Amino acid sequence: MSLNCVIGEAIYNKDKYIYNKAADLENQGFFPVIFVPSQARMTAEEAYMKYTGKSGMVNTYITTLSRYILKTLDSVKLNKEYITDETKRMYIKQIINENRGILTLFSNVIDKPSFVDLVISYIDSIKKEDIDISKIDDMTDINNLTKEKLKEICNICQVVEERLNEKYIDSLDILEIFCEHISEESKGLKNTEIFFHGYNNFSKREFDVIKTFLKLGLNVTVSLTLPSDMISYTENPGGIFEIAYETYGQLTKLAKECKVLFNNVMELDKIKTQEDIEYLIQNIFSARYSKYDKRSENILLRLEKN
């Protein structure tokens, strides 16, 4: 049992490694499950067939985490109805309209679709990270107006959550339910290999799911877009790799907590790119760059008025 981290910048072919590894495991009688972000599922299936040369998937399952968990919990009797994201959005809009009185600072934007999206994003963040909204008054690093706006948003979030919890569970609730009930379903996970591909960060609840897989004795592989030399840094490098670096650190701690072997996978094939794009990749974040003295055929820079 191990937690494996596939590390490399965008120019290194993590797709090829992940999908070929899954295909090799399938040939050995294992059942690989590859979790990808919802917007990447279709392209992930195409990439799997491209790199493995297979015309389809037999015992390899490429899916989203929420879809997989819902399927796994089929035999678990849930006391509440599962609500889809679209239905949830309409229900939240209705609840907001019924509670307009508690949103004085947002009265001019309540009817805008973006306000519903704002409320949903706050609800998701609060649930994902188990944030205690009662401690807003203790915040000292924000001004009073911002604090009051935050309190209003959290108040409506609390109302929405109370109403939803009366009848429904959502895609975040099922992560917690999965961790509580999966031991009952663990026999169905025999010979399963877990992959997380295309993520650079995880919420607290998603880390709990990874932890649950490890405690069930499953191998878990996570791909991260992070330069391999940065894993030895003692301080976060910041910039575009800040989040991936933090995630890597959390994964190493998780491996220690679960007492499993932690492996780095860094021997990846480089993606073949055009010369001018390769130059840009190598120099875009470099303070010491060399001038590209050839004609660029693949990069176009244009100044637009905003």
Side-chain angles (χ1 to χ4, degrees), residues 21-277:
K21 180 69 174 178
D24 288 343
L25 287 167
E26 182 181 323
N27 292 336
Q28 296 171 42
F30 290 92
F31 303 96
V33 177
I34 306 173
F35 295 119
V36 296
S38 56
Q39 67 273 16
R41 190 168 65 88
M42 292 300 294
T43 55
E45 291 176 356
E46 292 172 359
Y48 174 87
M49 290 183 280
K50 170 187 172 182
Y51 287 114
T52 63
K54 295 176 179 283
S55 58
M57 290 170 288
V58 180
N59 290 321
T60 296
Y61 189 26
I62 297 179
T63 185
T64 63
L65 186 57
S66 58
R67 185 186 294 264
Y68 175 83
I69 288 176
L70 273 175
K71 183 178 179 180
T72 305
L73 293 177
D74 272 348
S75 61
V76 177
K77 187 176 181 181
L78 302 176
N79 297 324
K80 299 175 185 178
E81 181 183 349
Y82 178 75
I83 189 170
T84 64
D85 289 342
E86 189 56 39
T87 304
K88 178 180 172 182
R89 193 179 191 284
M90 292 188 290
Y91 193 46
I92 289 175
K93 185 176 181 180
Q94 176 188 329
I95 296 172
I96 291 172
N97 284 331
E98 293 171 358
N99 293 271
R100 302 170 78 93
I102 65 175
L103 291 165
T104 57
L105 295 174
F106 294 92
S107 58
N108 293 331
V109 296
I110 287 177
D111 295 319
K112 293 185 177 181
S114 58
F115 184 71
V116 178
D117 294 332
L118 176 68
V119 172
I120 291 173
S121 68
Y122 268 87
I123 290 173
D124 287 352
S125 295
I126 290 168
K127 291 178 72 170
K128 282 180 178 179
E129 304 299 337
D130 291 333
I131 296 171
D132 186 355
I133 61 175
S134 66
K135 295 183 178 180
I136 294 175
D137 284 326
D138 298 335
M139 295 181 178
T140 58
D141 55 346
I142 58 175
N143 61 50
N144 288 334
L145 178 59
T146 302
K147 186 180 292 187
E148 290 304 312
K149 286 183 175 180
L150 187 57
K151 286 170 70 174
E152 276 199 7
I153 286 290
C154 287
N155 285 340
I156 192 63
C157 287
Q158 189 170 16
V159 172
V160 168
E161 268 298 278
E162 288 173 356
R163 288 279 296 277
L164 285 172
N165 286 337
E166 291 173 3
K167 300 179 180 179
Y168 303 107
I169 56 172
D170 62 16
S171 58
L172 296 176
D173 294 321
I174 61 172
L175 299 182
E176 186 175 354
I177 295 170
F178 176 80
C179 293
E180 292 172 355
H181 291 277
I182 190 57
S183 58
E184 302 169 15
E185 309 298 314
S186 58
K187 291 180 181 178
L189 294 174
K190 186 179 180 181
N191 292 332
T192 297
E193 295 273 337
I194 301 296
F195 296 83
F196 286 86
H197 185 43
Y199 299 85
N200 253 1
N201 65 308
F202 299 98
S203 68
K204 182 181 181 299
R205 290 195 180 188
E206 288 166 338
F207 269 116
D208 287 341
V209 172
I210 296 175
K211 181 178 178 180
T212 299
F213 283 136
L214 291 171
K215 288 194 169 183
L216 289 172
L218 304 181
N219 293 318
V220 178
T221 299
V222 179
S223 67
L224 289 178
T225 300
L226 181 71
S228 57
D229 63 321
M230 286 188 179
I231 65 174
S232 61
Y233 286 15
T234 56
E235 293 184 4
N236 195 314
I240 62 171
F241 298 114
E242 177 180 0
I243 294 175
Y245 180 86
E246 288 179 0
T247 302
Y248 179 83
Q250 290 172 306
L251 289 170
T252 58
K253 290 178 183 177
L254 184 60
K256 290 179 182 178
E257 181 184 344
C258 296
K259 298 179 180 180
V260 300
L261 187 65
F262 186 85
N263 296 316
N264 291 313
V265 179
M266 295 180 286
E267 298 297 323
L268 305 174
D269 292 339
K270 203 171 186 179
I271 298 174
K272 187 176 180 181
T273 57
Q274 300 295 334
E275 185 180 358
D276 50 356
I277 296 177

Side-chain angles (χ1 to χ4, degrees), residues 271-288:
I271 298 174
K272 187 176 180 181
T273 57
Q274 300 295 334
E275 185 180 358
D276 50 356
I277 296 177
E278 177 71 18
Y279 163 82
L280 183 62
I281 291 170
Q282 296 295 337
N283 290 276
I284 190 169
F285 297 111
S286 175
R288 297 179 179 179

